[in-house]
Amino acid sequence: MLKLSTAPHLNTPTTTKGIMLDVIIALMPALIVGLLVFGMGALQVVITSVAGCVLFEYIICRYFLKSNPTTGDLSAIVTGLLLAFNLPSGFPISLTLIGCFVAIVIAKMAFGGIGKNIFNPALVGRVFLFISFPVQMTTWPKPQAFNFMNTDMETGATTLGILKHLKTNDFAQIPELPSYLNMFIGNIGGCIGEVSALAILLGFVYMLYRRIISWHIPVYYVATFMLLCSIHWLLTGEIRHEPLIHLLSGGLMLGAVFMATDYTTSPMSKNGRIAYAIGCGILTYVIRFYGIYPEGVSFAILIMNAFVPLIDSTFIPRVFGTRRK
Amino acid sequence: MELKTFPMGGIHLDKHKITSDKPIKEAGLPEIVYIPIKQHIGAPSKIKVQKGDKVKVGTLLADADGIVSADVHSSVSGEVIKIDDIVDADAYLSTMVVIKVEGDEFEPTIDQSHEIKKEITLSAEEIVKKIRESGIVGMGGAGYPTPIKATIPEGKRVNTLIVNGIECEAFLTADDRLMVERAEEIVIGAKILNKALGIQNAIIAIDENKPRAIEIMKKITRKYVGVNVRVCESKYPQGAEKQLIKAITGREVPSGKLPIDVHCIVQNVGTVHAIYEAVQKNKPLFERIITVTGDNAAENPQNFRARIGTPASFLIKQVNTHPENIGKVIFGGGMMGVSAVNMDAPVTKLTSGILLLNDEDATKPPETACIRCARCADSCPMGLRPFAIATAIRNHDNKELKQLHIMDCIECGTCSFICPARIPLLDYCKLGKMEIRKQKK
Amino acid sequence: MDIITSSIVMLGSIALASGVVLYFVSKKFYVKEDAKISEVEKLLPGVNCGACGKAGCHDFAKACSKTDAEGFKQLYCTVGGNKVMQKVAEALGYRQEEKEETVAVLRCQGTCQNAPSKFEYTGLKSCRLVAQISTSQSECPYGCVRLGDCVSVCKFGALKIDKELGIPVVDENKCVSCGACVEICPKKLFEIRPKGKDGKRVYVACRNQQKGAIARKNCSAACIGCMKCTKINPEIKVENNLSYIPTSVDAETYGQELADNCPTGAIVYTGRKEKKHGA
């Protein structure tokens, strides 16, 4: 019996699963650096987070929605990895699982599953933990490169944390501030995935090469933030506003490359994406410079997520053969 | 030289052109041909023959009924054994003239020699009359009667003739081979059309992935004043009229308007070649080049020169020896071709190819949830938002539907092709068009 | 104490100010509408199906209250039926003529058993799309595509695809004959017919216009244009090899005989007594 179907009869080899796999590959450099820098503490968080996210999605699909589990599309693994990347090394297992629950069950499945969530699940999970368990969330183990078995939890502040409470304006008086090179390769304190700018850049290049994302969101996001930051720095001349430190440390790179570019929670037209990225940049600047938190990326992206439907209905691409209104 | 292309959207199809090196092969004569009397857009033609009549190759079978209609000629010599409604490729009934083939005798008026006749002796009116008498229609697939496009309507102005040698459709190589093997005829055909339209220039647009055709065409066009080759980027759907005009001239056909409104006429190379044969050789349109192909279901894909009315199964047998491998038969290419249910249906003036897919390729993958990646919108050559159309259809949101410019959709299938979630977006666009048409009524 | 007083004063004045603003705004932008319209609208089912030919129930109510007694006769809400129309008429002071209750019937019996599928369709399940690229699910060019566009368009849940038969089945208790299925079916297989006395109606469940032998080959329950039914009641006409039973043929009188004598079972009589195997 012949088969019948409507045109087109061909499909691109790229599938949802393939895209997610590419994102996972792009996350690998940052994961490796995170494990190298933080050792077993990081591994424990990553495994818990990924397993938790996949498990929660499977349970929700199988027993509550009574539908075929969508865990096969690997998106839960991406969420799990990103959530882990946003947690400090050695974060308690029980709290990590709470984060997974919030990310998958509340932020993703409650909205209808993949493609229907308004807010980035990993970020919702992180922000929930951040507000509920501020002590654990700001206990930053010091980097201990290549010393895997070290379970001695020596802790310190993140670079941005140091800057936030800086009283002096002299580099020489703040020896705990890491060098630019250490910030770039990732030998600093912070969340598991955010420490190495280099690793994140590698992932960015890979995603661009595989055409998973376009360059617009990360570049406009970072550029907007850097522009505002530089102006502020030039006007005040204070070290704590030094733009390069703000770029290389903290979650800006991770957020711009992996969080803000999430398909589901970012706009669908090119101009919309640019507007969204600029919005993220401005909000990050405002939160970091005028808010009480040293970090602002998670909140900035989540706030802009809420604006996505509005951006989508405002920035509509021009239709061929018509004039732009 | 810089490559011309259209600005928005488009996709790069994987290499499916497996037959571009295969020379055109004579398909041979089947025992019986079925010639549909409607192979064009417009009114069905009026039948001029009766059961029992003896016909020759080129004998008029049916006469055009009005302006938007076309003559149909016999493609074989033999006896008319039946005129009846016969099941067509899509299983609908269509009136066909059934001819039992006896020998291969041509009408004496047809010039069967192979020499190229360069001099154009007929006047503009005579050329159009000749095109009409030869039953030529747009062979790219639209099937719009060519004589209408060879005359400029009152109040319109034409300054560019584009010969469409861009075969961007997956798998098809019929136009490619025709340009390689019949380059000079095509160029003369373009000059004939020039004369009919009263303009001096013609642009032959070819895409990058046909290096031999580009080379040969460039060599030959040097000898003809006013005919130029433009190389375009290999991008789908570069061969769509609106996209091609934009690429070549930079003009954008306004929404709801025709190419002639931006002073352009686009003709497919196959049509231009048929015009040459009609005007210079007195040969009506009774055969065409057909690519019969498929990467998994055809062992021996070929470019055939086949008579109109040849049953598709006659051609399929020549490329495939394992009929059990065939899961789907497509009249046309992989992107815009129409899936057929009847393999014995005849090929028509519009059949540019027959694509065979095996069982696995024939099954459409199941639809999963949209991940809002926006690839459909980014690659739509018309700048539409297929994801929004699908949502509006699913929600029965007619108010939203009206604002999405669905009627501008050219149904190229790019959105469905590119979707990683395998959502049949083009199907939703088609449903949207039906909805809009219903409301207009 | 100070705080409490000041908050009460503050909140109170805000509330007062808002109240004043709201009052003036509602006065200013008040849309005056005929009280009859809302009265009639309350009586209507409120499903906005559009079966009456108006944009929705509100539109219908507007039309009812604007028209005169003569024009009112033309208006009919099929969903509410006579009961609702009676109330509407009372409210407006018109007289409502009793109209016969109707129901949608499927004029095809191209089930999976009677007319086997000729292809395997994969893709978006939509009859209208398939009708563009082919005919129907079976060899019969006039038959049911069996993908259920009618089911998805029915707002009253009166249609569902029978899993065994493959074709839609009308639930006559739920069908309000809004005509959405008639409109959407690419094969024009639905017809709105009077429900008949005690739900007894007789009709030809086939649209095939091919010659008898071919029609029979394509579907075992096809009308073959044998003319037998025309001999039972001369009002029945056969055109293009297809019989059509007009609604004037009394189902109770002729139904059993027509159904029994139809050689293929194309004639369906809903009140048929099971003699051998029911249609």
Side-chain angles (χ1 to χ4, degrees):
Chain A
M1 200 186 296
L2 280 181
K3 292 213 161 120
L4 186 79
S5 61
T6 47
H9 307 281
L10 307 172
N11 271 121
T12 166
T14 312
T15 58
T16 303
K17 191 177 169 181
I19 290 172
M20 293 302 163
L21 191 64
D22 271 335
V23 175
I24 292 172
I25 293 171
L27 286 168
M28 282 303 128
L31 176 67
I32 291 165
V33 172
L35 294 180
L36 289 179
V37 172
F38 297 113
M40 291 306 283
L43 190 65
Q44 165 213 314
V45 174
V46 171
I47 290 176
T48 318
S49 172
V50 171
C53 285
V54 174
L55 197 71
F56 279 126
E57 181 157 327
Y58 184 84
I59 291 171
I60 290 288
C61 287
R62 188 87 173 70
Y63 298 103
F64 289 84
L65 301 176
K66 313 257 186 240
S67 63
N68 265 344
T70 48
T71 38
D73 61 26
L74 306 183
S75 63
I77 296 179
V78 173
T79 306
L81 276 175
L82 284 174
L83 178 62
F85 277 20
N86 278 297
L87 298 176
S89 166
F91 195 67
I93 292 179
S94 55
L95 299 186
T96 312
L97 285 175
I98 292 177
C100 294
F101 178 83
V102 173
I104 292 293
V105 180
I106 293 174
K108 187 179 174 190
M109 301 313 286
F111 283 88
I114 183 169
K116 301 202 177 65
N117 47 305
I118 297 169
F119 298 104
N120 188 322
L123 282 181
V124 173
R126 174 196 147 87
V127 166
F128 181 86
L129 292 175
F130 193 68
I131 295 170
S132 313
F133 310 101
V135 178
Q136 290 89 334
M137 278 298 278
T138 47
T139 306
W140 311 103
K142 277 195 172 169
Q144 42 188 359
F146 302 106
N147 193 1
F148 299 115
M149 291 308 142
N150 189 349
T151 46
D152 173 25
M153 291 281 276
E154 195 187 346
T155 58
T158 61
T159 320
L160 287 181
I162 298 167
L163 289 183
K164 193 83 190 176
H165 306 291
L166 208 58
K167 297 269 179 335
T168 171
N169 201 19
D170 184 4
F171 264 115
Q173 288 186 20
I174 32 174
E176 69 267 38
L177 201 66
S179 68
Y180 287 119
L181 181 69
N182 270 343
M183 283 190 234
F184 185 62
I185 61 166
N187 195 16
I188 51 171
C191 292
I192 295 166
E194 71 181 21
V195 286
S196 171
L198 174 68
I200 292 168
L201 275 179
L202 278 177
F204 180 45
V205 170
Y206 177 77
M207 288 205 288
L208 283 185
Y209 168 73
R210 298 282 296 164
R211 291 169 189 261
I212 301 295
I213 57 169
S214 66
W215 56 270
H216 298 90
I217 291 179
V219 171
Y220 273 93
Y221 186 171
V222 171
T224 308
F225 176 77
M226 290 296 279
L227 183 75
L228 292 170
C229 187
S230 305
I231 293 171
H232 197 110
W233 179 55
L234 289 175
L235 290 179
T236 59
E238 288 179 48
I239 291 180
R240 62 197 178 99
H241 299 141
E242 219 269 298
L244 254 186
I245 301 179
H246 275 279
L247 173 67
L248 293 177
S249 62
L252 179 62
M253 296 281 272
L254 181 71
V257 173
F258 289 107
M259 306 297 216
T261 55
D262 173 41
Y263 286 146
T264 307
T265 53
S266 63
M268 293 177 81
S269 65
K270 199 184 96 187
N271 290 344
R273 283 178 207 138
I274 292 172
Y276 164 84
I278 292 174
C280 285
I282 294 172
L283 281 176
T284 308
Y285 162 76
V286 169
I287 297 170
R288 272 196 189 180
F289 282 65
Y290 300 102
I292 55 160
Y293 294 116
E295 264 295 356
V297 176
S298 323
F299 290 105
I301 294 173
L302 282 179
I303 292 168
M304 285 314 289
N305 281 167
F307 282 97
V308 166
L310 191 66
I311 294 174
D312 265 340
S313 58
T314 311
F315 293 88
I316 292 171
R318 186 181 72 93
V319 172
F320 187 96
T322 61
R323 271 161 216 260
R324 192 179 287 283
K325 271 176 221 151
Chain B
M1 204 169 91
E2 51 139 7
L3 297 171
K4 304 257 176 191
T5 191
F6 55 97
M8 29 169 107
I11 43 170
H12 297 272
L13 285 177
D14 287 331
K15 300 281 170 225
H16 290 300
K17 306 273 191 188
I18 41 185
T19 48
S20 55
D21 291 328
K22 299 272 175 75
I24 297 170
K25 193 180 156 196
E26 294 294 335
L29 291 170
E31 280 170 28
I32 290 174
V33 297
Y34 302 84
I35 302 179
I37 58 156
K38 187 172 185 293
Q39 305 180 26
H40 50 264
I41 288 176
S45 317
K46 287 177 289 190
I47 299 172
K48 287 279 165 192
V49 288
Q50 285 176 341
K51 189 178 164 183
D53 281 3
K54 294 278 181 192
V55 292
K56 292 174 187 169
V57 177
T59 309
L60 185 70
L61 293 181
D63 208 359
D65 187 11
I67 298 284
V68 190
S69 186
D71 289 359
V72 178
H73 300 81
S74 173
S75 60
V76 291
S77 63
E79 187 190 335
V80 177
I81 54 170
K82 200 158 86 172
I83 299 172
D84 200 1
D85 289 350
I86 289 171
V87 181
D88 208 345
D90 55 6
Y92 278 100
L93 297 175
S94 161
T95 310
M96 299 189 198
V97 178
V98 185
I99 302 168
K100 189 160 184 289
V101 180
E102 290 157 8
D104 194 20
E105 199 185 330
F106 280 55
E107 283 284 345
T109 47
I110 298 172
D111 176 1
Q112 281 181 269
S113 69
H114 285 297
E115 105 197 42
I116 294 171
K117 198 177 153 202
K118 292 180 184 169
E119 206 182 333
I120 304 162
T121 49
L122 300 183
S123 71
E125 291 75 36
E126 285 169 328
I127 289 170
V128 175
K129 188 161 166 267
K130 203 87 211 165
I131 294 173
R132 183 173 309 252
E133 282 170 359
S134 305
I136 297 175
V137 300
M139 286 163 78
Y144 196 65
T146 304
I148 307 171
K149 268 169 89 178
T151 38
I152 303 172
E154 200 81 19
K156 303 277 181 186
R157 191 164 60 83
V158 169
N159 56 23
T160 314
L161 168 69
I162 301 173
V163 177
N164 187 351
I166 291 173
E167 205 171 30
C168 54
E169 173 67 281
F171 285 102
L172 302 186
T173 54
D175 290 349
D176 186 2
R177 285 316 299 181
L178 191 68
M179 283 190 287
V180 170
E181 296 183 24
R182 296 290 174 91
E184 185 139 22
E185 285 93 326
I186 291 168
V187 176
I188 298 168
K191 291 307 287 180
I192 294 170
L193 263 176
N194 264 352
K195 193 167 176 183
L197 294 167
I199 57 173
Q200 299 304 321
N201 65 80
I203 293 166
I204 300 178
I206 310 176
D207 54 348
E208 211 190 341
N209 63 8
K210 303 180 179 55
R212 278 177 309 277
I214 294 170
E215 193 188 320
I216 293 170
M217 272 297 176
K218 275 191 173 165
K219 213 164 88 191
I220 286 175
T221 48
R222 257 176 238 141
K223 291 189 278 180
Y224 291 84
V225 182
V227 183
N228 290 301
V229 173
R230 289 276 184 282
V231 182
C232 296
E233 199 184 319
S234 295
K235 201 161 98 179
Y236 182 85
Q238 182 75 74
E241 251 180 3
K242 288 180 177 181
Q243 274 63 33
L244 185 57
I245 291 170
K246 177 78 183 174
I248 299 286
T249 66
R251 299 172 208 163
E252 207 162 277
V253 181
S255 171
K257 297 281 170 110
L258 295 170
I260 201 151
D261 294 308
V262 291
H263 321 303
C264 290
I265 295 257
V266 181
Q267 293 282 12
N268 172 267
V269 282
T271 317
V272 175
H273 179 254
I275 288 170
Y276 163 83
E277 292 201 315
V279 175
Q280 305 291 74
K281 300 274 183 178
N282 215 2
K283 186 176 149 191
L285 180 55
F286 61 76
E287 60 182 10
R288 70 158 296 147
I289 317 296
I290 297 170
T291 308
V292 187
T293 182
D295 39 13
N296 293 320
E299 298 106 56
N300 182 26
Q302 289 287 350
N303 296 301
F304 287 114
R305 177 176 288 108
R307 302 288 170 89
I308 307 297
T310 306
S313 51
F314 180 79
L315 299 175
I316 292 171
K317 265 178 213 142
Q318 298 186 41
V319 304
N320 172 297
T321 47
H322 296 282
E324 69 277 5
N325 276 349
I326 301 175
K328 200 196 266 179
V329 176
I330 296 155
F331 276 55
M335 293 297 287
M336 292 182 79
V338 180
S339 178
V341 286
N342 177 17
M343 266 203 256
D344 295 319
V347 298
T348 68
K349 294 172 185 173
L350 313 181
T351 315
S352 44
I354 297 171
L355 173 59
L356 307 174
L357 296 180
N358 67 9
D359 226 40
E360 194 187 328
D361 296 342
T363 313
K364 281 225 170 174
E367 180 180 342
T368 58
C370 171
I371 54 168
R372 287 174 45 94
C373 67
R375 280 160 203 240
C376 52
D378 289 344
S379 56
C380 176
M382 297 305 284
L384 304 179
R385 293 181 298 148
F387 64 88
I389 295 171
T391 313
I393 290 284
R394 286 198 193 116
N395 298 343
H396 303 285
D397 189 348
N398 290 333
K399 212 168 137 198
E400 173 74 14
L401 205 59
K402 277 183 195 151
Q403 296 165 1
L404 294 168
H405 293 268
I406 300 183
M407 298 319 270
D408 283 317
C409 171
I410 57 170
E411 304 191 7
C412 62
T414 302
C415 45
S416 292
F417 173 87
I418 202 83
C419 182
R422 305 292 188 243
I423 300 169
L425 291 158
L426 175 58
D427 290 354
Y428 284 110
C429 293
K430 284 179 180 164
L431 288 176
K433 280 185 171 181
M434 287 178 202
E435 200 63 44
I436 297 273
R437 280 196 204 106
K438 199 177 96 188
Q439 282 170 19
K440 274 199 183 135
K441 256 190 250 166
Chain C
M1 214 48 199
D2 238 15
I3 295 175
I4 296 172
T5 350
S6 64
S7 4
I8 290 171
V9 171
M10 282 290 274
L11 287 175
S13 46
I14 290 173
L16 191 70
S18 321
V20 170
V21 169
L22 273 176
Y23 174 76
F24 280 107
V25 168
S26 66
K27 267 268 165 170
K28 173 119 180 127
F29 293 100
Y30 179 69
V31 184
K32 213 179 159 194
E33 210 179 44
D34 203 337
K36 274 190 207 161
I37 297 179
S38 57
E39 198 184 326
V40 171
E41 200 181 344
K42 269 183 210 148
L43 298 170
L44 296 174
V47 278
N48 295 319
C49 65
C52 50
K54 299 284 178 279
C57 290
H58 182 79
D59 218 30
F60 182 75
K62 221 168 167 177
C64 285
S65 55
K66 288 242 169 81
T67 182
D68 53 6
E70 206 47 46
F72 184 73
K73 279 181 194 162
Q74 309 299 319
L75 295 162
Y76 187 73
C77 171
T78 49
V79 180
N82 285 322
K83 242 189 248 164
V84 165
M85 287 313 289
Q86 206 60 51
K87 282 188 197 152
V88 173
E90 264 168 40
L92 296 170
Y94 296 133
R95 274 185 52 121
Q96 165 63 26
E97 282 164 41
E98 192 82 1
K99 274 196 188 168
E100 212 172 356
E101 299 247 334
T102 53
V103 71
V105 298
L106 177 68
R107 291 171 60 198
C108 178
Q109 292 186 85
T111 59
C112 300
Q113 293 75 33
N114 290 340
S117 294
K118 67 167 180 277
F119 55 74
E120 200 180 315
Y121 177 75
T122 54
L124 188 65
K125 299 254 175 292
S126 164
C127 310
R128 285 167 295 161
L129 287 172
V130 173
Q132 274 191 342
I133 55 169
S134 186
T135 50
S136 71
Q137 195 80 298
S138 63
E139 296 285 348
C140 170
Y142 299 89
C144 177
V145 191
R146 311 209 279 246
L147 291 171
D149 273 8
C150 47
V151 176
S152 62
V153 84
C154 183
K155 284 187 179 165
F156 306 93
L159 281 162
K160 72 169 203 285
I161 298 272
D162 188 291
K163 276 205 182 109
E164 228 161 84
L165 301 174
I167 58 171
V169 179
V170 183
D171 181 343
E172 64 175 279
N173 296 323
K174 286 183 183 166
C175 177
V176 296
S177 52
C178 67
C181 49
V182 179
E183 180 89 9
I184 205 158
C185 180
K187 297 284 161 193
K188 298 281 165 248
L189 292 178
F190 285 97
E191 191 190 353
I192 304 287
R193 288 179 76 100
K195 230 174 194 168
K197 213 172 149 201
D198 305 326
K200 284 177 186 164
R201 52 193 175 272
V202 65
Y203 58 94
V204 179
C206 183
R207 295 264 295 157
N208 190 310
Q209 299 182 0
Q210 286 171 307
K211 280 177 198 139
I214 303 170
R216 184 79 175 73
K217 206 183 97 199
N218 289 340
C219 172
S220 60
C223 169
I224 52 173
C226 66
M227 315 293 277
K228 268 191 186 165
C229 45
T230 60
K231 280 164 201 138
I232 295 168
N233 187 323
E235 274 183 76
I236 300 170
K237 291 275 179 298
V238 173
E239 256 177 71
N240 296 324
N241 308 311
L242 177 64
S243 162
Y244 180 76
I245 303 180
T247 50
S248 53
V249 174
D250 185 47
E252 265 195 306
T253 325
Y254 296 102
Q256 187 72 34
E257 194 183 354
L258 284 168
D260 284 347
N261 281 297
C262 181
T264 56
I267 293 178
V268 172
Y269 174 51
T270 47
R272 190 178 183 187
K273 290 194 189 76
E274 297 280 327
K275 214 157 81 180
K276 21 185 181 169
H277 192 70

